[in-house]
Amino acid sequence: MLQILYLAQDLADPAVRRRILTLVAGGASVTLAGFRRDSNSLAAVHGVEPVELGVTADGRFAQRIGAVASACLSLKSKLGNVRKPDIIIARNLEMLAVAKRAVTLFGGEVPIVYECLDIHRLLLRKDVVGRALRAAEAHFGKDARWLITSSPAFIEHYFRPLSGLEAPALLLENKVLEIDGCADRNTISAEYPTPGAPWKIGWFGALRCRKSLALLAEFSRKMEGRVEIVLRGRPAYSEFEDFGGFVRDEPFMRFEGSYRNPEDLAGIYGDVHFTWAIDFFEEGQNSSWLLPNRLYEGCRYGRVPIAMKGTETARFLSVRGIGLVVEEASADSLVTLIGSMTADRYVEAADRVGQCNPATWVFDRADCEALVRRLATLTVEEPQTMPAGAVSEPRHNEGGLL
């Protein structure tokens, strides 16, 4: 059985939980270690007790650097009872530094996989800070055997031209984890609301975008009750002046709290008609390049995604002929897009989503097993460099692995 040490930047992150579930379902034995940012019981994985390396704060990069340095100094005692892994997966840059230290402690022969699913804005700065962080990434990732990322645009716009990393890329999209197989896609129908009821737009997951919150609030007010905004997930409170107060003051917006992923997805997406697949958090950079979790989640349940023109998400939808695209980031543009929505137009849009191959949205047990088998090859392979064609055609691989 493949032994994996998974180093996470945030033990409360639901996406970390999903990755652990993926690896375990694939047949690996996983030790989870990382930093705690806040408490989130819904992120717990049954049978996996994490090793806490310290506490970090969201949005405080300098504090996180100090926490990483402290963790590296105490790593020998923290991992003293951990069996030597076959592979170490480091999620995000700070954990890549911890992974390098861990390899030394375990004898210097453990392959490292660097998992980076977002490109932090500091890495893209053109000043001394950006150059220093990219140099650090290149240094700590020098011996990484693979790079795991979730969007071809990350490789096209950052990893290939800027990062200095030479590890070959593995595209692992943010698909819905369905360990027990792909259920009937029609178990939840995407229906027109009953007469007098509003259209519902769901914005789920990591809620960190002030611009999206303000835009959806203004739009819903302009629609005067014909549209309702439903928020669920983990708000990044550091990014909002008063998230709770803002939502409470909005007549057509409500926050329904956190949820388990993937267990609660059917229920929460069954309550809405559209998925907000737009993010302005790092506009023009990471937000333009990512393919968000909620894109796959909403489409898995036949919900119609809303994307922003000019983004990787919009291109993804265009290739498949599905979804709605906002021309500009304004409430008026949203009114034009959705204000005249009819039952027939909605059913047609939802049907197009439903006609996609389920594998476009779902990562099942067979995929988990295939991933673990591929990871296992690193225990015998020689180190590789990133080939010029690390992302091959077709641009969006239905199987998720390149």
Side-chain angles (χ1 to χ4, degrees):
M1 178 179 287
L2 189 69
Q3 304 288 325
I4 298 176
L5 172 60
Y6 192 93
L7 299 175
Q9 86 292 358
D10 181 4
L11 294 173
D13 186 349
V16 169
R17 175 180 187 267
R18 191 168 63 253
R19 182 66 79 234
I20 300 303
L21 291 173
T22 296
L23 296 171
V24 172
S29 175
V30 182
T31 299
L32 173 62
F35 295 101
R36 178 77 61 186
R37 290 193 189 174
D38 56 35
S39 60
N40 180 13
S41 60
L42 298 182
V45 180
H46 179 71
V48 177
E49 187 65 32
V51 178
E52 292 198 19
L53 302 179
V55 177
T56 58
D58 188 32
R60 295 176 56 190
F61 200 75
Q63 187 271 338
R64 285 161 59 183
I65 292 176
V68 168
S70 178
C72 287
L73 292 175
S74 63
L75 202 60
K76 185 173 183 179
S77 62
K78 296 283 188 179
L79 300 181
N81 295 322
V82 173
R83 176 179 173 182
K84 181 179 180 179
D86 299 309
I87 292 173
I88 297 175
I89 300 179
R91 190 181 182 102
N92 286 12
L93 174 55
E94 60 259 53
M95 305 318 296
L96 190 57
V98 177
K100 288 281 287 186
R101 173 60 177 159
V103 167
T104 301
L105 295 175
F106 286 120
E109 297 179 353
V110 182
I112 295 174
V113 173
Y114 178 33
E115 182 174 29
C116 184
L117 308 184
D118 284 295
I119 311 301
H120 197 282
R121 60 184 178 274
L122 293 180
L123 283 165
L124 296 166
R125 284 172 53 161
K126 298 179 180 179
D127 59 8
V128 64
V129 173
R131 291 194 296 272
L133 286 175
R134 291 192 296 273
E137 183 180 54
H139 170 72
F140 291 120
K142 177 182 176 182
D143 298 322
R145 299 285 288 277
W146 278 356
L147 163 71
I148 292 178
T149 194
S150 57
S151 171
F154 289 154
I155 299 174
E156 178 183 345
H157 295 289
Y158 176 71
F159 287 114
R160 188 177 289 157
L162 295 175
S163 73
L165 293 172
E166 297 183 345
L170 179 68
L171 182 64
L172 202 58
E173 297 172 68
N174 291 313
K175 297 184 180 184
V176 179
L177 181 62
E178 293 191 359
I179 295 173
D180 296 322
C182 186
D184 183 0
R185 288 182 52 79
N186 297 317
T187 53
I188 299 177
S189 58
E191 299 177 347
Y192 183 75
T194 57
W199 292 109
K200 295 181 181 179
I201 299 176
W203 180 23
F204 303 152
L207 309 179
R208 58 185 183 177
C209 179
R210 289 191 299 267
K211 187 171 179 177
S212 284
L213 189 66
L215 178 58
L216 288 169
E218 182 184 357
F219 165 61
S220 65
R221 284 178 178 264
K222 281 181 175 288
M223 292 295 291
E224 299 178 327
R226 289 176 290 153
V227 169
E228 183 176 291
I229 311 301
V230 183
L231 312 177
R232 297 179 187 262
R234 296 178 71 211
Y237 292 106
S238 62
E239 299 299 327
F240 303 96
E241 289 186 9
D242 181 7
F243 176 84
F246 184 95
V247 174
R248 283 193 300 271
D249 289 342
E250 290 300 320
F252 310 114
M253 178 180 285
R254 54 189 168 90
F255 175 57
E256 295 293 322
S258 57
Y259 57 91
R260 292 181 304 163
N261 186 337
E263 292 88 342
D264 296 338
L265 295 182
I268 67 173
Y269 282 98
D271 186 45
V272 300
H273 305 97
F274 302 94
T275 302
W276 185 254
I278 297 175
D279 188 324
F280 303 104
F281 180 64
E282 292 174 351
E283 196 170 358
Q285 298 177 339
N286 186 75
S287 293
S288 296
W289 305 334
L290 57 75
L291 294 173
N293 293 302
R294 51 186 171 267
L295 166 66
Y296 299 88
E297 294 166 1
C299 290
R300 161 64 183 90
Y301 293 104
R303 273 40 195 168
V304 179
I306 302 171
M308 189 70 218
K309 181 180 179 180
T311 64
E312 184 70 9
T313 301
R315 285 190 287 271
F316 180 99
L317 297 179
S318 176
V319 167
R320 290 157 179 78
I322 60 174
L324 303 176
V325 175
V326 182
E327 290 294 318
E328 59 181 36
S330 70
D332 288 339
S333 186
L334 282 170
V335 170
T336 300
L337 186 70
I338 298 176
S340 60
M341 182 62 61
T342 65
D344 289 342
R345 284 181 57 207
Y346 178 74
V347 169
E348 179 184 357
D351 283 347
R352 284 199 299 270
V353 174
Q355 289 167 9
C356 291
N357 186 332
T360 307
W361 321 118
V362 171
F363 202 79
D364 62 18
R365 185 178 293 274
D367 294 318
C368 297
E369 292 170 348
L371 173 61
V372 171
R373 285 196 300 270
R374 292 197 66 169
L375 289 169
T377 65
L378 292 179
T379 62
V380 295
E381 286 182 357
E382 290 298 317
Q384 306 173 47
T385 58
M386 180 183 286
V391 178
S392 59
E393 296 297 335
R395 180 176 175 80
H396 296 289
N397 176 33
E398 293 295 324
L401 302 175
L402 297 178

